[in-house]
Amino acid sequence: MTAPEAPPGPERLGLRVLRPLLRALPHGFGGLLPVLELLRQELGEVFRLDLPGFRAVVVAGPEAIRQVLTGPPDVYRWRPEADPVARLMGRGVLVTDGAEHERLRRILEPANRRSYLEDRCRELWRLVDRLADGWQSGCCRDMLVEMRRITLTAFEHVYFSHDPGPELAELWEPVLSAVSYIGPGPWLVLGAAEPPPGAAHLRSYLTALIRRRRQASDPPDDLLTQVVRAVPDDGLAADQLLTMLIAGHDTCTAALSWTLYLLGLHPRWLNLVKAEVRETLGREPPEPGNIDGLVWLDRVVREALRLYPPIHVGMRLAGSTVTLQGYRIPAGTRIM
Ligand code: HEM
């Protein structure tokens, strides 16, 4: 039996990949996606990407992706510690491995149950109505901004029982800077800079919420209270809340914005979904008991998630040498 080889790399394609790569670079990581697709078509579902300063094995087929995502966590570790997301989130659940990851998952788990959200449904739609009441017919609104306003406010209500109100204006730039810091960008080849100053602002905002909650005599039963009770260290607690805030609101902002964008492009589907909402809900608000009838809306949202997934690249780090689809991946390799 021959020993498994390294996955194929772009050197096999030469100029055929160099030209599109050079054209793509000025457009950042967004420009790189078509190049990755070209490499997948030519090299297969597992291939090497060797850029100056950035080397990874790209896994682009469902079977290989399943193997990485469901494989032993000590083999497919979360990610390199120097990546911006790990620097931003510190010891947050998203970037922690092993027993500590399991412990943090258990602490956050009650707030991820369906029943946790069902109990807060009415509060959510009232809130969204209040925020959307400010929109006027005939005016132009940037839906990316509006969706972020809604998801940030909803997040704080649902998980912290807190209305950010005027504080939202102060949080806005720090949140945007944190999101942009962890997104794919020049750090992939140049190395990650320090987290932006906005990250420290977010951390002190969350630490103030944590300290206030520790002193509350009759705290509400929400995520913030669960974290405060289970995690005595304010810094570790803030890492979990920052992780949930960024992971929770930015994904939903993207999902909602792309869904509205697609509905705007396709008025036939917009009208169909509007008619379905009118017929199914009548004058009732959406509730866990009546939303199952919104079949077309469900399909539209799923299609938007398929076409424009809010998270479209994931990173892992090989904790030991593994064989993936017949290729040898040495320990320490970044897997995309
Ligand atoms: C459309 C909405 C969402 C999408 C598409 C999405 C997608 C994802 C993906 C792909 C991961 C895995 C990342 C990786 O393995 O590198 C992840 C993890 C995570 N997400 Fe979401 N997410 C969404 C909503 C949310 C919400 C609403 C919250 C919290 C309120 C949340 C909190 C988390 C956390 C804490 C993790 C880390 C879990 C762990 O490490 O065990 N996400 N999400």
Side-chain angles (χ1 to χ4, degrees), residues 154-319:
F155 182 94
E156 290 225 18
H157 271 262
V158 166
Y159 294 108
F160 302 165
S161 310
H162 176 250
D163 183 354
E167 287 158 301
L168 194 62
E170 279 169 47
L171 290 179
W172 198 259
E173 281 309 316
V175 164
L176 289 186
S177 69
V179 167
S180 144
Y181 174 66
I182 60 175
W187 65 266
L188 285 169
V189 282
L190 301 176
E194 288 295 315
H201 182 93
L202 286 178
R203 210 166 273 282
S204 61
Y205 171 79
L206 294 169
T207 307
L209 286 180
I210 290 166
R211 292 195 176 140
R212 236 180 289 147
R213 185 60 63 86
R214 288 202 197 282
Q215 282 159 7
S217 52
D218 185 18
D221 180 17
D222 61 8
L223 172 80
L224 179 54
T225 300
Q226 287 158 17
V227 170
V228 156
R229 284 197 178 132
V231 184
D233 172 350
D234 284 355
L236 184 59
D239 285 343
Q240 311 319 315
L241 300 183
L242 182 60
T243 301
M244 289 289 277
L245 177 76
I246 298 294
H249 102 277
D250 193 50
T251 43
C252 294
T253 299
L256 287 166
S257 306
W258 283 118
T259 304
L260 292 176
Y261 167 78
L262 287 168
L263 285 171
L265 280 187
H266 301 285
R268 188 170 85 81
W269 288 94
L270 176 63
N271 290 333
L272 200 125
V273 164
K274 278 164 78 177
E276 180 183 69
V277 169
R278 263 196 307 271
E279 279 158 28
T280 311
L281 304 187
R283 298 188 66 79
E284 293 302 310
E287 296 276 353
N290 62 14
I291 54 167
D292 283 349
L294 300 174
V295 179
W296 287 113
L297 180 59
D298 185 56
R299 289 180 187 173
V300 164
V301 173
R302 283 170 194 266
E303 184 64 353
L305 285 170
R306 187 185 73 83
L307 289 171
Y308 299 104
I311 310 275
H312 49 273
V313 180
M315 300 278 191
R316 291 290 185 276
L317 187 69

Side-chain angles (χ1 to χ4, degrees), residues 20 25 40 43 58 69 78 96 105 107 109 156 186 191 207 210 213 242 281 283:
L25 282 180
R40 187 191 69 81
L43 301 175
V58 181
L69 291 182
W78 281 110
T96 309
R105 281 286 298 219
I107 293 171
E109 200 269 332
E156 290 225 18
T207 307
I210 290 166
R213 185 60 63 86
L242 182 60
L281 304 187
R283 298 188 66 79

Side-chain angles (χ1 to χ4, degrees), residues 6-29:
E11 71 281 351
R12 282 237 207 128
L13 304 176
L15 279 181
R16 265 195 304 149
V17 70
L18 197 61
R19 270 197 220 103
L21 186 64
L22 287 176
R23 275 201 298 271
L25 282 180
H27 304 288
F29 195 76

